[in-house]
Amino acid sequence: MERAAAFDLQVELVTRVGVQPLGPEDGSLREALTSLHSLFATTREVLHRVAAESPPPLVLPRIAFVLANQYLRPFLATWHSALRRHEDTCPPGRSAIEHERLWPRAVDMRAHLADLREPLSSTAEELAALCGIDLLHPARPKET
């Protein structure tokens, strides 16, 4: 059960913007926050499921706890309300994405999002070691 949960969490992690780079003009910061918030919720759900269905000793709860509370929670707590305050000032007729790109703190938020890549990638590597399948660095097929 723990290996399967580690794989599930790794899938969620390596397919998110926290691990996959977001270029300076790409995507939406709101969508990035929504994705990372969803990852936070998934991490909590995995913690509940593993604790209820797997006998100790367990490794995954520590990995998931660090992911949620040391990496995701601080980022979300800092940037969710800051971006929301800016979004609330969007004038009629301006698109949300255009307004977001005009936000003076957008560059800072993108930099902090980029700073998450290393610890989230390290977490993905821990999950890969636990489940035995590395989705972040998949093996290339051997040439014949």
Side-chain angles (χ1 to χ4, degrees):
M1 174 63 197
E2 185 178 41
R3 287 183 67 203
F7 177 78
D8 291 347
L9 191 53
Q10 183 189 187
V11 167
E12 293 299 316
L13 186 56
V14 302
T15 59
R16 304 289 173 144
V17 72
V19 171
Q20 299 302 320
L22 183 66
E25 297 297 319
D26 295 339
S28 156
L29 295 174
R30 172 54 57 201
E31 290 300 318
L33 281 173
T34 299
S35 177
L36 292 175
H37 188 271
S38 172
L39 177 60
F40 185 86
T42 299
T43 302
R44 286 186 4 192
E45 183 272 324
V46 166
L47 271 170
H48 286 291
R49 185 176 40 146
V50 167
E53 298 175 10
S54 300
L58 299 172
V59 175
L60 184 61
R62 179 199 55 80
I63 297 169
F65 182 83
V66 169
L67 172 63
N69 290 303
Q70 288 184 8
Y71 305 135
L72 297 176
R73 183 185 305 276
F75 182 85
L76 293 169
T78 297
W79 292 107
H80 178 77
S81 59
L83 181 56
R84 175 61 61 210
R85 284 190 301 274
H86 176 70
E87 290 169 334
D88 289 346
T89 67
C90 187
R94 181 182 289 163
S95 75
I97 219 51
E98 179 186 0
H99 188 65
E100 182 181 282
R101 292 207 169 117
L102 295 172
W103 184 35
R105 296 190 67 195
V107 171
D108 274 350
M109 184 176 167
R110 284 179 182 271
H112 284 128
L113 182 60
D115 290 345
L116 272 181
R117 190 170 309 114
E118 190 279 321
L120 295 186
S121 295
S122 291
T123 301
E125 290 168 357
E126 286 185 80
L127 293 167
L130 183 57
C131 74
I133 302 168
D134 187 349
L135 298 174
L136 192 58
H137 309 102
R140 296 180 189 246
K142 293 183 180 181
E143 305 234 354
T144 56

